[in-house]
Amino acid sequence: MVVAVSGMDSLGERAAKMKEALQKSQTITDSVVSILGSFDSRLSVLETAMRPTQIRTHAIRKAHENIDKTLKAAEVILTQFDASRQAEAKILRGPHEDLESYLEAIDQLRSNIHFFSGNKGFKSSDAVLNNANSLLAKAISKLEDEV
C-alpha cells in the first residue's frame, strides 16, 4: 500500500505541475491576445490615417493614366497632321518629278480624309477635311493635266 500512496503523490504532483503549466499558458495566451488587440487597434488607427493618402494616390494614378491616354491620342492626331502636310508638299510639286511618290501622297491624303471623317469630334476636323478634299481635287486635276 505504500507503493500506491507513493504513486498517488506522484500523480498529484504531476497534476499540480500540469495545472501550473496550464495557468502559465493561459497567462501567456491572455498576454498575446492583449498584444494582438493593441496591434489591431494601432493598425486601425494607421489605416484610418492613411485612407486620405490612398485616395489621393489613386486620384493621381488615374490622372496619370488619363494624361498618358490623351498624349497617345494627340500623338496619333499629330501624326495624321504631319502626314497630311508631307502629302500636301508632294502634291503641290506635281507628278512630273516622281509619279510614285505623288501617288503615295494621294493615298496618304485619302487615308487622312478617312481618319478625319471617322473622327469628326476634333475641333478642326472639318477644316482639315475641307483642305484635304480640295487638295485631293487639285492632285487629280494635276494628274489629268499630265496625261
Side-chain angles (χ1 to χ4, degrees):
M1 194 145 185
V2 173
V3 173
V5 170
S6 164
M8 291 292 264
D9 286 342
S10 174
L11 192 58
E13 286 175 17
R14 282 194 238 160
K17 286 182 182 180
M18 282 183 74
K19 186 176 181 181
E20 183 181 324
L22 281 172
Q23 287 174 344
K24 282 182 182 178
S25 177
Q26 186 61 46
T27 302
I28 291 170
T29 300
D30 291 345
S31 176
V32 168
V33 166
S34 174
I35 290 169
L36 289 175
S38 173
F39 282 150
D40 186 46
S41 172
R42 290 177 187 171
L43 283 175
S44 293
V45 169
L46 182 60
E47 188 176 65
T48 301
M50 290 296 297
R51 188 71 183 137
T53 303
Q54 291 170 337
I55 291 169
R56 283 191 302 254
T57 302
H58 177 73
I60 290 169
R61 188 177 305 119
K62 194 68 175 168
H64 184 266
E65 289 171 8
N66 289 340
I67 289 169
D68 281 347
K69 287 177 185 176
T70 302
L71 286 174
K72 287 176 184 173
E75 186 176 343
V76 168
I77 295 166
L78 289 174
T79 300
Q80 291 296 322
F81 277 116
D82 190 45
S84 181
R85 184 186 52 78
Q86 290 173 0
E88 181 176 14
K90 289 178 185 176
I91 289 171
L92 292 177
R93 279 193 300 251
H96 57 278
E97 287 181 15
D98 182 5
L99 182 61
E100 188 176 326
S101 177
Y102 189 80
L103 294 175
E104 287 174 4
I106 290 174
D107 284 342
Q108 181 59 52
L109 197 55
R110 285 183 177 155
S111 175
N112 285 2
I113 290 170
H114 178 73
F115 175 81
F116 284 105
S117 293
N119 294 294
K120 289 205 176 226
F122 301 135
K123 191 173 186 177
S124 60
S125 64
D126 287 337
V128 171
L129 281 171
N130 289 339
N131 184 45
N133 283 321
S134 172
L135 191 57
L136 188 59
K138 285 180 189 175
I140 292 170
S141 175
K142 283 186 179 191
L143 272 177
E144 289 172 348
D145 290 346
E146 285 290 316
V147 178

